[in-house]
Amino acid sequence: RPFYCYECGSPYPWTEKILNDAVELLSLDDNLEPSIKELIKSAIPDLIVDTPSTPLAIAKYNKGISKAGQIIKDSMYSLLIDVISEATKKALFS
């Protein structure tokens, strides 16, 4: 299923839901610095679809999520596992 409109580039409602849920999950971790939350948040769109920026997004996500609590890590895994590419799954979760 496509995640972004081919004509305008806007996220479809199901993609917007994933992005919003990820941001809300991050906001629940009171011990995570705002700059780390923003680092993870900025990486997620390039994790959902493969772009030239996906390798950078993987590095950003890994750096940021390593500082998150286990509940947030597990929840982000559950949220993203079915929507990211196989190559990105291997890089993030292997």
Side-chain angles (χ1 to χ4, degrees):
R1 145 173 28 171
F3 293 103
Y4 293 91
C5 177
Y6 293 109
E7 290 184 19
C8 70
S10 295
Y12 285 116
W14 51 89
T15 309
E16 191 70 38
K17 176 80 170 120
I18 293 166
L19 296 171
N20 289 339
D21 285 355
V23 169
E24 188 171 351
L25 276 172
L26 292 172
S27 73
L28 296 175
D29 193 329
D30 295 331
N31 296 321
L32 207 55
E33 295 177 19
S35 62
I36 298 298
K37 290 178 183 179
E38 188 58 37
L39 182 71
I40 298 169
K41 178 183 163 188
S42 71
I44 293 171
D46 287 319
L47 297 176
I48 293 176
V49 293
D50 287 327
T51 71
S53 297
T54 298
L56 177 60
I58 290 168
K60 287 180 176 181
Y61 182 87
N62 280 334
K63 179 178 180 173
I65 205 70
S66 69
K67 299 175 193 292
Q70 193 61 47
I71 291 173
I72 300 302
K73 289 178 186 177
D74 293 345
S75 297
M76 291 295 281
Y77 173 87
S78 295
L79 180 65
L80 296 175
I81 193 67
D82 292 330
V83 297
I84 58 178
S85 72
E86 288 302 317
T88 303
K89 282 179 195 177
K90 288 179 185 176
L92 290 179
F93 306 125
S94 295

